Amino acid sequence: HAPNALVLTVAKGETARTATPLRAVTLTCAPTPGGTHPAPEAACAELRAVDGRFSALRGDQDRACIKIYDPLVVTAEGVWEGQRVRYERTFGNSCTLQTEAGPVFSF
Amino acid sequence: HAPNALVLTVAKGETARTATPLRAVTLTCAPTPGGTHPAPEAACAELRAVDGRFSALRGDQDRACIKIYDPLVVTAEGVWEGQRVRYERTFGNSCTLQTEAGPVFSF
């Protein structure tokens, strides 16, 4: 199988460069789901559904979130099916992080 | 413990941006050594000895290498003791990679 190894982080703040990581997990999806991510199977299923394109991830769109600005920035780095991954996205607060990014960044 | 999750890659070529990863592994060193790295204990011991400063890693300096230029580029990304890591280094060939970088990039 092609190389497959990711590290995901969540930090409090607007950009990865300036925000100190609160949490960081490893995630591997081949040959089998694993890593320190609390739900590798669910996370790998989500990533396979979007062919590893983190920007295409969607969460539970129906859930409403209160409009408090307390930003969290997530990153994904490493290799997915042999291709390098470098992804960063900022969410208004932890609720929008959950509803928009789903299981992959639930840790 | 502070967040600790790394992904290490080895690719054939001069820069990570242009070289396709040959191999990629995850490595966690806290609370216990683990990941898809083949020798997490040895790798974590080396990293602890240099406080996670990849640039300070040294391998088996006594071993001589033939001077063939067949470059390999290694990367380390993620979080070490709560601090973000982003490291890249190119080696002349696989022998110098072994002798200069040691167990951390032996996978």
Side-chain angles (χ1 to χ4, degrees), chain A residues 84, chain B residues 7-10 16 73-77 87-89 105 107:
Chain A
R84 284 193 200 279
Chain B
V7 59
L8 311 178
T9 71
V10 175
V73 55
V74 302
T75 65
E77 290 168 300
Y87 170 77
E88 174 175 340
R89 183 175 169 188
F105 288 102
F107 55 84

Side-chain angles (χ1 to χ4, degrees), chain B residues 33-74:
Chain B
T36 56
H37 190 291
E41 291 76 11
C44 290
E46 291 277 314
L47 285 171
R48 259 192 297 274
V50 294
D51 288 331
R53 285 174 300 111
F54 280 82
S55 52
L57 285 173
R58 290 294 171 271
D60 167 10
Q61 302 285 315
D62 304 333
R63 193 173 140 199
C65 288
I66 37 172
K67 296 260 183 272
I68 293 178
Y69 191 63
D70 184 20
L72 290 173
V73 55
V74 302

